[in-house]
Amino acid sequence: MTSIGGAEMVDWNLAVATATRLVRPGPEISREDARAVVAELRRHAKASEEHVRAFTRMIPEGTEPEDTPVLVVDRAGWIKANVAGFRELLRPLLAKMESRRPGGPGGAVLGAVGGKVTGVELGMLLSFLASRILGQYETFAPATRELPGSTDGGGRLLLVAPNIVHVERELDVDPHDFRLWVALHEETHRTQFTGVPWLRDHLQGEIQTFLDETDVDPMTFLERLREAAQSLSGAGRPEGEKGEDGGRSLVDVVQTPAQREVLGRLTAVMSLLEGHADYVMDGVGPEVVGSVAEIREKFQKRRAQGAGRLDQALRKLLGLDAKLRQYKDGEKFVRSVVDEVGMDGFNRVWTSPNTLPTKAEIAKPAEWVARVHRKAES
């Protein structure tokens, strides 16, 4: 990235170093047991591929979509992958912000100091998330030797082994069943992106449109990150104090009217993807995961409760509460549509960006059915 005064708006290496240093240690496990967990997760990922494809029918028999690697990583590996993805995704926005930075020695100092401050604060946020993510289909980071991806340059399935072990112990569930259950959810995301070739570019285009509409100066951007990072150290608002809106997420505080339109479309597609993964996980689970009912009940309770007041505050700030609603709303949408028009009828959703549900249709699935099916049949 071209930068004024030789300094970037974000010191990405410092973000990785900070997050890696601050992230909580994983659960205690012997080296032999850790190797066994990694091997089992890889086996489950492979088995899940067959289960998910058979259940969703998204990929026609006899066709083979583009292959993407499965990477079983630790928390540091997840951090590095996501920093690489953020760096690629935010490149146009940061270039725009850099163009507004004052030139000359003053601008260079602002860049050097601001980049390091932002790197530290981004690292603090990533350290919080790195101990909570079980798996992820990462699609934006370019492929490298350390972070292999699909042949078109991106896309890999990440399974975060220490987090999976931590949660299975916390829930006191069968570890082998839980690992397969997680793999089913994440494999569904991989199938979504490999089975729908236009989806990655569409999602990236929507995000870039959102960022293009961002009209925020560098100091305001730093302040938003600082607000989030201060929540980690308890240096934000006094306990119990709330703003007039009860607290806003990082996404909320930078919205323009144009961004709200884009965000509505992004919310709809993310609700679809997350809800579809939950629906598939529940559909396949009873056939292959013996203790799926117990796992689902305990995991849903954990997901809803969070880990305490600090955790709840950060979830709000980072927009993670909205993500929980996406799971619920999206799953209801998928279930309602499949019940009415069957799996093949639901799969029309993957035809093109025009057949994706709107935010309103996520809440009222019958409206999507009327638009996509009734119109096509008339």
Side-chain angles (χ1 to χ4, degrees):
M1 184 189 303
T2 302
S3 56
I4 300 173
E8 294 186 1
M9 290 294 301
V10 179
D11 188 328
W12 298 105
N13 292 332
L14 186 56
V16 171
T18 300
T20 303
R21 185 177 70 253
L22 295 179
V23 72
R24 296 175 182 177
E28 292 187 7
I29 186 171
S30 69
R31 182 170 300 180
E32 181 179 351
D33 287 344
R35 283 197 293 263
V37 170
V38 170
E40 183 175 12
L41 286 172
R42 286 177 176 152
R43 290 196 303 272
H44 285 332
K46 184 63 178 177
S48 295
E49 183 178 329
E50 182 178 342
H51 293 313
V52 169
R53 290 185 184 183
F55 183 81
T56 64
R57 301 202 291 273
M58 288 179 64
I59 300 174
E61 291 186 17
T63 64
E64 193 62 33
E66 187 173 27
D67 189 33
T68 56
V70 176
L71 307 179
V72 181
V73 299
D74 57 12
R75 292 170 178 175
W78 180 87
I79 289 167
K80 291 175 183 177
N82 277 268
V83 166
F86 289 152
R87 184 172 189 170
E88 185 68 20
L89 200 59
L90 294 176
R91 189 182 298 271
L93 173 63
L94 295 182
K96 177 181 176 181
M97 291 168 61
E98 284 177 354
S99 68
R100 298 186 176 188
R101 194 165 60 195
V109 171
L110 173 62
V113 175
K116 291 188 181 301
V117 170
T118 310
V120 168
E121 293 175 346
L122 178 60
M124 292 175 69
L125 293 179
L126 287 171
S127 72
F128 168 78
L129 294 171
S131 61
R132 286 158 174 78
I133 303 298
L134 301 182
Q136 172 190 5
Y137 187 78
E138 203 294 313
T139 185
F140 298 119
T144 64
R145 179 176 297 180
E146 292 185 352
L147 190 66
S150 60
T151 54
D152 68 350
R156 72 281 298 162
L157 179 61
L158 306 176
L159 296 173
V160 191
N163 295 350
I164 294 172
V165 171
H166 171 78
V167 174
E168 70 192 25
R169 291 178 178 179
E170 181 182 281
L171 297 181
D172 190 24
V173 294
D174 182 282
H176 308 294
D177 281 0
F178 184 75
R179 293 165 196 172
L180 176 56
W181 187 74
V182 171
L184 287 169
H185 182 100
E186 303 308 331
E187 176 58 38
T188 303
H189 286 316
R190 184 165 73 146
T191 299
Q192 290 164 349
F193 281 92
T194 57
V196 185
W198 53 264
L199 183 59
R200 176 181 181 270
D201 288 343
H202 172 72
L203 189 59
Q204 186 169 15
E206 289 282 56
I207 294 172
Q208 289 301 336
T209 299
F210 181 89
L211 295 176
D212 287 345
E213 292 293 333
T214 299
D215 188 19
V216 58
D217 64 82
M219 294 310 296
T220 302
F221 181 75
L222 292 176
E223 185 60 32
R224 299 311 179 207
L225 274 179
R226 187 167 296 112
E227 180 182 351
Q230 285 174 343
S231 295
L232 285 169
S233 61
R237 290 177 177 150
E239 185 174 342
E241 181 180 330
K242 295 183 179 180
E244 294 180 1
D245 61 356
R248 295 182 296 173
S249 74
L250 285 177
V251 171
D252 294 332
V253 297
V254 298
Q255 281 188 61
T256 65
Q259 282 180 307
R260 277 190 283 273
E261 293 185 14
V262 180
L263 190 62
R265 297 195 299 269
L266 278 171
T267 298
V269 72
M270 295 309 297
S271 296
L272 171 68
L273 298 180
E274 296 293 358
H276 183 237
D278 265 15
Y279 178 81
V280 172
M281 185 169 59
D282 285 348
V284 176
E287 299 294 327
V288 297
V289 182
S291 58
V292 64
E294 177 191 5
I295 291 173
R296 185 67 160 148
E297 180 182 359
K298 290 183 175 180
F299 190 80
Q300 285 288 72
K301 185 179 296 184
R302 179 185 185 274
R303 178 189 274 176
Q305 290 177 343
R309 297 191 62 149
L310 175 60
D311 187 80
Q312 291 169 4
L314 277 166
R315 281 177 14 180
K316 172 65 178 177
L317 186 61
L318 298 173
L320 300 183
D321 280 343
K323 186 176 177 66
L324 297 183
R325 290 193 295 273
Q326 288 171 6
Y327 283 107
K328 296 176 183 177
D329 296 344
E331 196 273 341
K332 288 179 182 178
F333 170 84
V334 176
R335 186 172 300 279
S336 296
V337 172
V338 173
D339 286 347
E340 184 166 351
V341 297
M343 184 63 76
D344 291 333
F346 165 78
N347 281 339
R348 287 194 189 181
V349 78
W350 312 116
T351 304
S352 75
N354 292 329
T355 56
L356 291 172
T358 64
K359 189 176 180 181
E361 288 170 343
I362 287 288
K364 297 180 179 179
E367 294 185 0
W368 180 87
V369 173
R371 176 171 67 87
V372 173
H373 283 265
R374 305 291 183 261
K375 184 177 181 180
E377 294 166 2
S378 62

